[in-house]
Amino acid sequence: MPFIRYDTGDFGKLAQLPTPENGERLRVRALTPRRKPEFLISVSGQRIVTAMMTMMVSSDAYDPELFRGISEFQFYQDTPGDVVIRYMLDRDGSQADIERFRSYMTERCQGHLAFQVEEVSQIATGLSGKRAFIDQRLDVMRY
């Protein structure tokens, strides 16, 4: 069956050229999607996928109480291991609400990431009008 290849716009680092020993297969590593990455970089340089990080609490169940008092948030990272939670409280929100969320994230990441909080008046959107879940400022190709 023919295999159709097309340019996805993803990036990677060449690990090994095709050889008879590897079955004539091109080997790559550190794949990064063309879309914004959905991972944070730990203090040791490891990628931490965030897709389910805020959805799972105990017993693998979604807990809406985790977000009580917070109307919007975004992770911002420009230093490995350090993450800023940019947030906006809702009308009934308090500092205790964002502290509960920060503490949960710190525990969930088991010391691989340190979280600080920053209250903002708005969370910026891109050209498409969508907000990024992570405002990742690191060169993710290095990790």
Side-chain angles (χ1 to χ4, degrees):
M1 167 177 251
F3 181 74
I4 299 172
R5 294 176 187 252
Y6 59 93
D7 185 3
T8 63
D10 295 349
F11 295 93
K13 290 184 179 179
L14 179 63
Q16 184 180 26
L17 290 170
T19 65
E21 291 78 25
N22 69 16
E24 299 296 337
R25 294 186 178 153
L26 183 71
R27 305 283 183 184
V28 295
R29 62 181 175 84
L31 290 175
T32 302
R34 76 184 187 306
R35 295 186 176 101
K36 286 277 193 181
E38 294 296 323
F39 52 82
L40 297 166
I41 306 299
S42 73
V43 70
S44 65
Q46 298 298 309
R47 295 178 180 186
I48 298 177
V49 178
T50 59
M52 298 300 287
M53 199 164 36
T54 59
M55 296 303 215
M56 309 299 265
V57 185
S58 60
S59 305
D60 294 336
Y62 175 74
D63 184 2
E65 187 67 15
L66 178 63
F67 304 104
R68 183 175 39 83
I70 303 168
S71 69
E72 297 182 44
F73 72 93
Q74 176 187 60
F75 297 119
Y76 172 87
Q77 185 175 42
D78 63 8
T79 304
D82 293 331
V83 180
V84 175
I85 302 171
R86 294 176 171 164
Y87 71 93
M88 295 173 19
L89 295 175
D90 66 22
R91 185 177 52 204
D92 301 319
S94 70
Q95 288 303 116
D97 294 320
I98 193 63
E99 181 55 29
R100 178 186 61 248
F101 183 66
R102 188 199 65 76
S103 293
Y104 166 78
M105 293 304 300
T106 299
E107 182 180 325
R108 180 106 171 134
C109 292
Q110 302 175 354
H112 295 282
L113 296 170
F115 292 89
Q116 293 80 39
V117 295
E118 175 186 3
E119 188 168 14
V120 296
S121 59
Q122 70 178 22
I123 295 177
T125 60
L127 295 175
S128 67
K130 296 180 180 180
R131 288 184 308 273
F133 182 55
I134 301 172
D135 184 352
Q136 181 57 269
R137 299 300 175 104
L138 293 172
D139 177 3
V140 295
M141 290 297 290
R142 294 181 56 206
Y143 304 96

